[in-house]
Amino acid sequence: MTLIVQKFGGSSVSDAASIKRVARRIAETRRQGHEVVVVVSAMGDTTDDLVDLAQQVSPQPPGREMDMLLTAGERISMALLAMAIHDNGFEARSYTGSQAGLLTDSTHGQARIINVTPGRIQQALDEGAVPIVAGFQGVSYESKDITTLGRGGSDTTAVALAAALDAGVCEIYTDVDGVFTADPRVVGRASKVPSLSYEEMLELAAVGAKVLHLRCVEYARRYEIPLHVRSTFSASEGTWVSSERNPGGHMEQPIISGVTADLNDAKITIIAVPDEPGVAASIFQALADAGVNIDMIVQNVSEADTRRTDVTFTCPKGDLGRAMQALLDAQERIAFASLASDEDVAKLSLVGAGMRSNPGVSATFFRALADSGVNVEMISTSEIRISVVTRTERAEDALRAVHTAFGLDADGEAVVYAGTGR
Ligand code: ADP
Ligand code: ASP
Ligand code: MG
């Protein structure tokens, strides 16, 4: 008998019929003799609808109240799912994140898990019941206020519980058949990847493959919890994410695991910065003090006669206002001429562990972009990733071109079973 944590995303529980389908699936797993802990997201687009509603009421809602509002979404789905499981002949009990022992820090909207004390969940299991836990929420161990883990955070709840309960596997049920070589909503010919290492999945999640929450993959790697990403709507095997890329297999690993386009970044250029030691330190200290997350950085070659240079970097769109203000506040000290910002950018990334040992990957990547007339504005690389910044309106074409150039196109169209992709 294995303990399995099963997480069902919003599109898996979007209406009464879907909730009943999920309940049957859980009952089936129980009938096969496994213990099951369920983590559930809010129904369909409930979380987005609540965010929209809050915006209509208040342009800058307090974080505490926002978290209280958003956690209501998961309370609805967990109770309904417990009812549907009862109708399948098993006892089920729903728990909020707080009741399930998810203790976090106090950062509303982006809380980090500090400890998991799943005593009530273990007790429910011991008594033969199916515990259903509300995803993406916890309680601050300091303030005792309700917190959320950030959008998409139910995946992280599931892995945190899997680690705390020593589960054999964490299954992430969603609206596609697994992790694909590109978002199947954008690249119809995306191929399902049978297995990925934590390292590859971390890079993919970090550069915008939203099928898994980044922190869920970090957590899974730390506690070595195997993840199985699969569809709620079909019985087919999904994608395994574990410490081995190709468990038990003998095939040479593919060079590329996937391509992504991330539209959540903005670009800032600091114009005519003095080209002397210490200036970059002042710039990035000012940004760090303002809590701005920096991604790519480029400095132009200084023109000999002016001894000034331009520094360009990207940061999340949500940090743009704070970044601009922090730089303006430090303008006199840093002595730059002016600032320019641009939200119309996309970050296109190519990820694959096989890149390390295969020459020619960059050449193929930039050739594909050039042939489809895509201009590259910034470049950054890691051992297993190349990212470029391009115009937003060219991002989808660029994604498809690169996908084709690396031979990743499948013979048929990928299936997207449900969801609005919001
Ligand atoms: P859930 O509500 O189940 O958590 P999400 O919307 O968070 O589902 O994640 C699933 C979606 O992730 C898919 O519908 C798909 O559009 C998107 N996606 C982005 N990149 C990928 C990828 N590389 N592989 C699979 N899905 C991806
Ligand atoms: N319901 C939350 C969201 O939409 C959490 C999740 O689905 O993972 O972000
Ligand atoms: Mg998700």
Side-chain angles (χ1 to χ4, degrees):
M1 183 172 69
T2 321
L3 171 61
I4 303 178
V5 175
Q6 298 189 324
K7 178 258 169 178
F8 294 90
S11 52
S12 305
V13 290
S14 59
D15 54 21
S18 310
I19 290 173
K20 289 180 175 176
R21 180 190 308 110
V22 166
R24 285 195 296 273
R25 188 142 197 167
I26 294 164
E28 182 53 34
T29 310
R30 278 295 305 263
R31 276 189 213 103
Q32 287 164 2
H34 302 297
E35 283 189 310
V36 188
V37 173
V38 177
V39 173
V40 74
S41 291
M43 293 171 68
D45 289 335
T46 300
T47 311
D48 290 295
D49 295 343
L50 291 172
V51 170
D52 292 348
L53 190 57
Q55 285 298 319
Q56 289 166 36
V57 170
S58 161
Q60 290 277 325
R64 180 187 185 281
E65 301 314 323
M66 202 60 198
D67 278 354
M68 202 54 121
L69 177 71
L70 296 189
T71 50
E74 270 71 11
R75 277 194 178 222
I76 296 172
S77 48
M78 71 178 191
L80 292 170
L81 184 55
M83 295 173 197
I85 292 174
H86 273 270
D87 291 344
N88 279 271
F90 290 93
E91 197 205 331
R93 299 179 197 161
S94 60
Y95 297 92
T96 64
S98 165
Q99 289 175 318
L102 275 117
L103 303 178
T104 71
D105 64 16
S106 307
T107 321
H108 285 295
Q110 202 60 254
R112 296 195 71 89
I113 297 171
I114 303 288
N115 197 6
V116 184
T117 52
R120 296 194 68 187
I121 305 305
Q122 188 61 58
Q123 189 185 340
L125 285 172
D126 293 346
E127 291 170 10
V130 180
I132 318 274
V133 179
F136 132 95
Q137 54 178 271
V139 61
S140 162
Y141 75 103
E142 300 158 328
S143 66
K144 310 289 182 237
D145 282 328
I146 296 301
T147 53
T148 62
L149 309 181
R151 298 304 308 273
S154 297
D155 299 340
T156 301
T157 303
V159 174
L161 280 169
L165 295 163
D166 204 16
V169 56
C170 182
E171 296 183 333
I172 306 284
Y173 285 89
T174 185
D175 53 13
V176 288
D177 277 319
V179 181
F180 282 73
T181 48
D183 185 342
R185 285 180 204 271
V186 179
V187 180
R189 288 284 166 100
S191 316
K192 188 174 78 183
V193 184
S195 64
L196 287 164
S197 65
Y198 292 125
E199 186 192 23
E200 288 168 301
M201 193 61 231
L202 271 177
E203 287 275 4
L204 281 173
V207 292
K210 73 159 188 169
V211 61
L212 284 178
H213 195 225
L214 175 61
R215 279 159 51 200
C216 130
V217 190
E218 285 169 353
Y219 218 107
R221 174 167 72 166
R222 191 163 341 118
Y223 293 93
E224 292 217 22
I225 305 290
L227 302 175
H228 187 188
V229 183
R230 57 195 306 193
S231 167
T232 302
F233 303 87
S234 96
S236 65
E237 182 88 355
T239 299
W240 284 89
V241 182
S242 65
S243 43
E244 258 181 281
R245 165 69 193 250
N246 192 11
H250 301 289
M251 276 165 14
E252 194 144 351
Q253 71 180 9
I255 299 169
I256 303 301
S257 42
V259 292
T260 62
D262 189 345
L263 307 184
N264 291 321
D265 277 359
K267 184 174 98 169
I268 296 181
T269 302
I270 315 174
I271 297 159
V273 179
D275 189 9
E276 52 197 49
V279 170
S282 309
I283 292 173
F284 292 106
Q285 188 61 55
L287 293 164
D289 292 345
V292 176
N293 266 311
I294 308 293
D295 185 12
M296 291 190 202
I297 304 172
V298 172
Q299 179 177 324
N300 291 355
V301 177
S302 173
E303 288 178 32
D305 49 345
T306 64
R307 305 227 9 104
R308 279 175 182 267
T309 172
D310 294 348
V311 174
T312 303
F313 64 89
T314 59
C315 66
K317 282 197 171 99
D319 288 359
L320 180 61
R322 253 182 303 133
M324 294 292 277
Q325 193 54 54
L327 290 170
L328 285 174
D329 291 346
Q331 182 164 12
E332 218 168 293
R333 185 158 42 86
I334 301 170
F336 62 85
S338 58
L339 286 179
S341 70
D342 184 351
E343 291 190 73
D344 214 12
V345 292
K347 181 170 75 177
L348 193 80
S349 303
L350 180 72
V351 173
M355 274 187 198
R356 284 194 187 102
S357 50
N358 278 276
V361 170
S362 305
T364 306
F365 181 60
F366 288 108
R367 171 55 49 208
L369 293 176
D371 289 350
S372 52
V374 172
N375 188 41
V376 172
E377 300 177 19
M378 297 172 83
I379 303 172
S380 81
T381 59
S382 84
E383 243 194 329
I384 66 166
R385 175 183 54 78
I386 312 175
S387 299
V388 296
V389 167
T390 65
R391 293 288 94 200
T392 304
E393 66 269 16
R394 298 309 319 278
E396 294 197 354
D397 287 343
L399 197 62
R400 284 187 278 264
V402 169
H403 196 265
T404 304
F406 281 94
L408 301 174
D409 290 357
D411 292 339
E413 290 276 313
V415 185
V416 177
Y417 294 90
T420 57
R422 241 185 118 176

